[in-house]
Amino acid sequence: QVHLVESGGGLVQPGGSLRLSCAASGNIFRVDAMGWYRQAAGKQRELVVGITSGGSMDFADSVKGRFTISRDNAKNTVYLQMNSLKPEDTAVYYCKLTLRTLRWGDEYDYWGQGIQVTVSS
């Protein structure tokens, strides 16, 4: 069993900052890719930013220069630092970890439960 717990969301004014965390626990052998996605009301889920085990990052154009991603492999945790937030960043944010539970097992994607981020004055 693997569990992902997200934290750090909430209400913030435009121009403000938030930091999201996603911690994985359970029977984990190794985490490969980590990432954050978001889904605004009435829209499809989209990639915000991903990071590979080697540290390569892939950002959505809309967040470049404002959001950063980092990972703590020892804690199986990924962070999303969001600065200069805009109303259009309002969405439910989901973390996704690609990991394997066994040394020679397959990799699978695990999703967090989602956390609301609202940017409004």
Side-chain angles (χ1 to χ4, degrees):
Q1 292 282 356
V2 175
H3 299 281
L4 272 61
V5 177
E6 301 178 15
S7 60
L11 173 65
V12 64
Q13 292 186 343
S17 298
L18 281 176
R19 187 190 193 212
L20 304 184
S21 300
C22 174
S25 61
N27 184 26
I28 298 171
F29 175 73
R30 189 181 72 192
V31 179
D32 187 5
M34 296 177 166
W36 290 93
Y37 291 72
R38 67 186 180 187
Q39 187 167 16
K43 295 186 178 181
Q44 291 190 335
R45 191 174 299 188
E46 63 176 0
L47 172 69
V48 177
V49 58
I51 182 169
T52 68
S53 58
S56 297
M57 303 177 195
D58 183 19
F59 288 89
D61 288 342
S62 59
V63 306
K64 285 180 180 177
R66 299 188 298 121
F67 290 11
T68 58
I69 187 172
S70 59
R71 58 189 290 168
D72 184 333
N73 293 324
K75 296 181 179 180
N76 291 325
T77 299
V78 61
Y79 305 95
L80 179 65
Q81 178 66 43
M82 303 184 291
N83 299 325
S84 302
L85 282 160
K86 304 175 181 180
E88 50 263 44
D89 294 317
T90 296
V92 177
Y93 284 70
Y94 299 88
C95 62
K96 185 183 82 170
L97 273 60
T98 302
L99 60 89
R100 67 182 68 193
T101 57
L102 299 172
R103 175 184 288 272
W104 307 116
D106 293 329
E107 287 188 331
Y108 294 95
D109 292 336
Y110 291 83
W111 290 86
Q113 80 279 9
I115 193 165
Q116 180 69 44
V117 171
T118 302
V119 185
S120 175
S121 56

